[in-house]
Amino acid sequence: MNIRQRCIFSFEDAMKMQPKSRIEKIIDTLDFKPVIAKLHQPDGNKRGPKPYPTCAMLNALIAMRLENMNTFTQLVE
């Protein structure tokens, strides 16, 4: 016999209760809007693969420096 139990809180609430890592705290406090505005390129050239989002690339580079990673392979791992 199975007993269905209702959820006590939602997944979003559970994520809010998780402690933030050092990288998340630093990235949340920085304002990237001026930097992203300068780095963002218009979609004038439609050839080639779709690029990664500018904000994601900037976050990855900051995480790379905070964790003292020397190569992009270390970042991927």
Side-chain angles (χ1 to χ4, degrees):
M1 178 167 148
N2 293 333
I3 299 173
R4 287 191 64 122
Q5 182 176 348
R6 295 184 347 157
C7 294
I8 298 172
F9 43 81
S10 68
F11 179 74
E12 289 81 18
D13 292 337
M15 292 304 294
K16 288 178 187 176
M17 289 189 275
Q18 295 290 324
K20 287 189 175 183
S21 69
R22 179 177 69 142
I23 296 172
E24 287 175 317
K25 288 178 184 177
I26 292 172
I27 289 175
D28 286 345
T29 58
L30 297 174
D31 181 26
F32 293 129
K33 291 177 185 173
V35 176
I36 291 173
K38 293 282 186 181
L39 293 176
H40 183 70
Q41 297 175 358
D43 295 333
N45 187 3
K46 298 282 185 179
R47 292 189 213 154
K50 185 176 178 182
Y52 291 104
T54 307
C55 187
M57 294 293 289
L58 188 58
N59 289 344
L61 289 174
I62 289 171
M64 190 175 173
R65 291 293 104 205
L66 289 174
E67 295 296 324
N68 294 324
M69 297 176 190
N70 295 324
T71 64
F72 290 110
T73 305
Q74 290 175 332
L75 180 65
V76 171
E77 291 173 357

